[in-house]
């Protein structure tokens, strides 16, 4: 990666991230950096801290120490006592508005139609009127191949369709960084492809994405950088071609042999 990138182009930087749940340390000094338009794939065995790291980006989990920068501005820093301190609530909300998240479980509102699921957050959070946001929401449904499902309820959709709605819903807030936490893990294999296709299209459009995934083909073909985590640490990282062709660490090789 070139080092000529300006600070503004670094969309997300996490430095020396430590996170514990009680006595269990789940993140042990993680460093990541994601530039505009990059797709970072985070892979690793269950319990390695991948999802916790992702949830720390948008404060669904709070870190114990380290620093988090979003678009060059600090969300959290470590104080003199070695503890993480977050910016005030207003500033935090402003920074976190840059991020969108797609979860394992689609988390759609079951009592709302597809289109209502998309427009709810822009109306509630940004104060937009339905007439202002609905045309954009319809565009996003077309983007994910679900134009004809606007008036359906989530229970009338397949899992893959629900997850594509969830992606469209996240995009409806116009985030600069899109976070995916194992977006296909709750899907049957035959439905996984349609979600990955949508994600690949976003990658081609240079959407900045951080993707925790067990889909090695996606990590190899669609990401610009791959991180392999185990036991709360980054074991190995690199550009996907070299990473998958010739992993340097034995732990990485063993994991990939099991996955591929």
């Amino acid at each position: 990666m070139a080092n000529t990138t300006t600070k503004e182009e670094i969309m997300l930087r996490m430095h020396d991230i430590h996170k514990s749940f009680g006595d269990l340390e789940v993140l042990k000094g993680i460093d990541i950096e994601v530039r505009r338009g990059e797709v970072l794939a985070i892979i690793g065995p269950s319990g390695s801290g991948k999802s916790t790291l992702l949830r720390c980006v948008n404060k669904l989990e709070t870190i114990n120490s380290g620093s988090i920068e979003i678009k060059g501005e600090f969300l959290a820093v470590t104080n003199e006592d070695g503890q993480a301190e977050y910016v005030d609530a207003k500033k935090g909300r402003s920074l976190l508005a840059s991020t969108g998240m797609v979860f394992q479980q689609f988390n759609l509102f079951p009592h709302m139609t597809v289109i209502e699921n998309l427009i709810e957050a822009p109306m509630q959070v940004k104060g937009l009127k339905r007439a202002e946001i609905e045309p954009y929401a319809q565009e996003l449904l077309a983007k994910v191949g679900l134009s004809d499902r606007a008036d359906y309820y989530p229970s009338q959709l397949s899992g893959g369709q629900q997850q594509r709605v969830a992606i469209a819903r996240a995009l409806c807030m116009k985030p600069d960084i899109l976070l995916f936490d194992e977006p296909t893990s709750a899907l049957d294999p035959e439905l996984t492809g349609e979600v990955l296709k949508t994600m690949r299209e976003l990658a081609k459009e240079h959407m900045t994405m951080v993707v925790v995934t067990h889909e090695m083909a996606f990590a190899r073909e669609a990401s610009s950088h791959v991180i392999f985590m185990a036991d709360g640490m980054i074991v190995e990282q690199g550009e996907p071609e070299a990473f998958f062709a010739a992993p340097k660490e034995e732990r990485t090789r063993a994991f990939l042999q099991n996955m591929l």
Side-chain angles (χ1 to χ4, degrees):
M1 280 189 236
N3 291 320
T4 54
T5 314
T6 63
K7 185 178 179 184
E8 286 70 36
E9 287 177 293
I10 295 173
M11 303 296 281
L12 172 66
R13 181 187 278 129
M14 303 177 82
H15 175 63
D16 198 22
I17 300 296
H18 288 263
K19 169 67 181 173
S20 296
F21 294 107
D23 294 333
L24 179 66
E25 190 178 17
V26 290
L27 297 175
K28 305 170 183 176
I30 300 285
D31 290 307
I32 67 169
E33 200 171 86
V34 185
R35 290 174 171 79
R36 184 182 295 279
E38 285 187 338
V39 178
L40 171 63
I42 304 176
I43 65 172
S46 296
S48 58
K50 310 181 300 294
S51 291
T52 300
L53 178 65
L54 196 71
R55 290 169 68 84
C56 287
V57 174
N58 58 5
K59 212 182 170 188
L60 290 175
E61 301 286 358
T62 54
I63 60 173
N64 295 102
S65 64
S67 64
I68 302 172
E69 287 175 74
I70 296 174
K71 294 167 64 181
E73 295 192 63
F74 282 102
L75 174 69
V77 295
T78 298
N79 63 21
E80 292 173 358
D81 298 325
Q83 299 297 309
E85 267 184 19
Y86 282 80
V87 295
D88 63 67
K90 184 179 179 185
K91 176 76 170 174
R93 279 194 301 273
S94 171
L95 286 174
L96 292 174
S98 300
T99 69
M101 187 148 180
V102 179
F103 298 87
Q104 295 178 31
Q105 304 293 343
F106 327 119
N107 289 4
L108 300 176
F109 296 117
H111 61 289
M112 292 183 180
T113 63
V114 165
I115 196 73
E116 287 167 348
N117 265 281
L118 265 64
I119 65 177
E120 176 71 6
M123 287 168 61
Q124 295 296 331
V125 178
K126 294 187 172 180
L128 298 175
K129 292 187 168 52
R130 181 166 183 145
E132 294 175 289
I133 191 63
E134 191 163 349
Y136 183 58
Q138 295 282 9
E139 276 180 42
L140 292 174
L141 285 181
K143 184 197 253 320
V144 300
L146 292 170
S147 295
D148 59 341
R149 296 291 191 270
D151 297 323
Y152 282 52
Y153 286 90
S155 61
Q156 298 173 295
L157 304 177
S158 71
Q161 289 171 332
Q162 289 187 60
Q163 192 61 296
R164 283 185 284 153
V165 171
I167 293 171
R169 180 179 61 178
L171 290 169
C172 213
M173 288 292 283
K174 301 188 176 178
D176 295 305
I177 308 164
L178 205 48
L179 311 172
F180 292 86
D181 185 13
E182 298 273 17
T184 59
S185 66
L187 299 176
D188 294 330
E190 67 268 22
L191 300 176
T192 294
E194 63 193 49
V195 174
L196 292 176
K197 179 172 179 276
T198 297
M199 292 169 64
R200 284 190 174 96
E201 284 164 3
L202 290 172
K204 284 179 191 165
E205 293 167 11
H206 305 293
M207 179 80 202
T208 308
M209 302 196 292
V210 181
V211 184
V212 171
T213 184
H214 58 269
E215 298 289 344
M216 296 302 109
F218 175 85
R220 189 170 51 219
E221 295 157 19
S223 74
S224 35
H225 197 75
V226 183
I227 283 175
F228 171 61
M229 284 180 65
D231 301 321
M233 295 179 286
I234 293 175
V235 175
E236 186 168 350
Q237 59 182 306
E239 294 183 0
E241 191 173 339
F243 179 94
F244 284 101
K248 297 182 178 69
E249 301 292 330
E250 176 56 38
R251 186 84 190 262
T252 315
R253 288 195 290 273
F255 174 78
L256 291 176
Q257 279 169 1
N258 283 334
M259 296 297 290
L260 296 173

